[in-house]
Amino acid sequence: MTSKPYQLHGWHLSYFTGKVMCYLNYKKIPYDYQQVNFWTLTRTGKRKTGEVVMPLLVTPDENWLQDSSVMIDHLEARFPRAPVIPTSPVQKFASYLMEAWGDEWWVPIAMHTRWNYQENYALFEREAGSALLPHFPRFVQKRAVAFIASKLRGMLHAVGIRPEQYRMMNEWTINMLDLLEQHFVKHNYLFGDVPTIGDFGLVGTMYGHLGRDPWPARVLVAPRPHLRAWIDRMAAGKAASASLLAEDALAPTLTPVFKIICAEFIPMVAAINQQVKAVQANAPAGKTLPRRLDDISMPMGGQQFSRVALPYTLWMVQRCLDQLAAMNTVEQAKVRQWLQSVGGADLLTLEIPRLRRVGLRVAIEAGQTSNVVKLKTA
C-alpha cells in the first residue's frame, strides 16, 4: 500500500463532501483535505471527471474519482479493515437503502434549510469565498459567491422547494428528526455500535447542512442532543465497538423510519422509473438520459410533494437491488420478509432498466431494454 495520501477536494459546506470526509475519518485512511478552488472545480476537475462537481477524490496513482458512492466502493476494496458494509442480509440491504434515501430524498430538506433562512448566508459567503478564490480581495470573493449562490438558488424549484410546500417540508423534517433522536438515545449508530454505509448516506445532509448552517443547527439539531452527538461521532470517526446488532436484527426504533422510507421514497422511485421507461421507449439503447425529467409527485408526511424526476436516483436504488440479487435464496427470503414488514414489497416489483452511471447522469445499458434485477426463488 502506497504511503502517498489520497486528496479530497471539497467544502465542509458540501452535502457529499461531508459524507466522504466522515467515511475517511472513520476508516483512518490517510488523506489531505483541500478546499476546492475555482480552477480545480471548473477546469481540472471537469477535465478529469467530465463534471463540475464536488467532492473530488484523487487516488495516490492520480486517478480522479467523482461520486461519493463510487469513492466508498473504491476505498472499501482497498481498505478492508473496519468494513462499513454489513455481511448479514437484512442489515446489508437496509444500509444500502438508507444510503440511497440519504443521498436522494434529503436534498430538498438540506437546500430548503440553507437557502430559505438568510442567517445562513454569512457562513456560506465566508467559507465559499475563501475556498473559491483564496488569494483575491474580499469584494471579488463576495461577487463570485453571489454568482454561485444564484445558481444554487436556481435549482430550488426543481428539487421541490416551492413556497406552497415549505410548511409540509418543515413538518416532515421535525417529525423525522424526532424519530432519529429517539433512535440515537439507545444506539450510537443506525445499526448498532459501528457505522455502516447507511450512516454515511444519512450524514451528508446532517453534517454539511443541518449540523453546520446556523439556523438548522440551532433550531433543528441543538434541541436533539443525541442526534447532535451522532453527527459529532460521525465527523470524528469514532466507534464504541466493532459490532452491529446481533442476529441480523434492526432496532425497533428504526421501524417507523423505514416505514416512512417505504411509504414515500419507494413511490418516488416508481414515479421516476415510469418516466425513465417512457424516455427509453423513444431513445436508442446506451443513450445518456437527461439529468432532469418532468415533475413527479409522491407522499410526504401524509401530503403530496412535487419535484422533478432525477433518473440518477434509480442508479442508487440499483445498488440496493444488486446487493439483493447477489444473495442466496435464504438470504433473499429474509430481505423480502423484512421489506414486507415495513411496507416495502413494491420495491421488488419495479421493472427498473439496467443503468450505467455517466457522471451525474445515467444511461440505459446498450442492448438491454428492460434488464430487471432477477431474484432467486425457493
Side-chain angles (χ1 to χ4, degrees), residues 278-297:
V279 173
Q280 177 190 10
N282 301 306
K287 180 178 175 59
T288 301
L289 301 180
R291 171 72 172 148
R292 302 174 184 175
L293 298 177
D294 296 330
D295 253 23
I296 54 174
S297 180

Side-chain angles (χ1 to χ4, degrees), residues 265-276 293-298 309 314 350:
F265 182 57
I266 293 177
M268 183 176 94
V269 172
I272 297 171
N273 189 46
Q274 186 176 18
Q275 289 205 11
V276 166
L293 298 177
D294 296 330
D295 253 23
I296 54 174
S297 180
M298 73 289 300
L314 296 186
L350 299 179

Side-chain angles (χ1 to χ4, degrees), residues 102-344:
D103 276 14
E104 303 297 312
W105 177 269
W106 280 85
V107 169
I109 305 301
M111 294 186 70
H112 168 58
T113 58
R114 169 168 290 173
W115 295 108
N116 281 334
Y117 296 89
Q118 184 59 35
E119 68 180 274
N120 298 323
Y121 188 73
L123 174 66
F124 185 86
E125 182 181 61
R126 182 173 66 253
E127 292 194 4
S130 62
L132 276 174
L133 301 170
H135 305 299
F136 281 71
R138 191 66 182 151
F139 78 92
V140 177
Q141 293 179 349
K142 287 185 175 181
R143 288 183 180 178
V145 171
F147 175 77
I148 296 295
S150 69
K151 292 292 186 181
L152 293 171
R153 288 191 176 109
M155 298 167 55
L156 298 184
H157 185 271
V159 299
I161 304 173
R162 306 168 185 182
E164 66 274 17
Q165 298 189 146
Y166 291 174
R167 182 175 178 178
M168 181 197 321
M169 297 172 71
N170 289 338
E171 291 174 350
W172 183 92
T173 302
I174 289 170
N175 179 63
M176 182 53 65
L177 295 183
D178 283 343
L179 291 176
L180 292 171
E181 172 71 7
Q182 292 166 25
H183 174 77
F184 291 126
V185 167
K186 297 183 177 181
H187 302 279
N188 287 316
Y189 295 97
L190 290 172
F191 300 99
D193 287 327
V194 64
T196 70
I197 196 168
D199 292 270
F200 296 108
L202 183 59
V203 83
T205 186
M206 300 295 175
Y207 175 78
H209 286 250
L210 273 66
R212 291 187 83 247
D213 287 347
W215 184 85
R218 186 184 75 252
V219 175
L220 298 177
V221 175
R224 298 169 175 85
H226 295 89
L227 175 65
R228 174 79 265 174
W230 171 78
I231 297 171
D232 294 340
R233 279 194 298 275
M234 292 292 292
K238 294 180 179 179
S241 70
S243 63
L244 299 173
L245 295 180
E247 299 180 356
D248 201 22
L250 299 187
T253 45
L254 279 187
T255 298
V257 176
F258 275 111
K259 285 185 175 181
I260 290 172
I261 292 173
C262 293
E264 300 175 345
F265 182 57
I266 293 177
M268 183 176 94
V269 172
I272 297 171
N273 189 46
Q274 186 176 18
Q275 289 205 11
V276 166
K277 292 173 77 173
V279 173
Q280 177 190 10
N282 301 306
K287 180 178 175 59
T288 301
L289 301 180
R291 171 72 172 148
R292 302 174 184 175
L293 298 177
D294 296 330
D295 253 23
I296 54 174
S297 180
M298 73 289 300
M300 176 183 275
Q303 303 178 60
Q304 286 297 117
F305 180 75
S306 297
R307 56 164 295 168
V308 299
L310 298 182
Y312 195 91
T313 300
L314 296 186
W315 182 81
M316 288 297 300
V317 173
Q318 179 177 279
R319 282 169 57 82
C320 305
L321 296 177
D322 283 351
Q323 298 302 316
L324 183 58
M327 295 177 189
N328 63 40
T329 303
V330 173
E331 291 171 331
Q332 287 187 353
K334 287 189 66 176
V335 174
R336 286 175 180 272
Q337 184 178 18
W338 171 72
L339 269 175
Q340 188 169 12
S341 74
V342 292

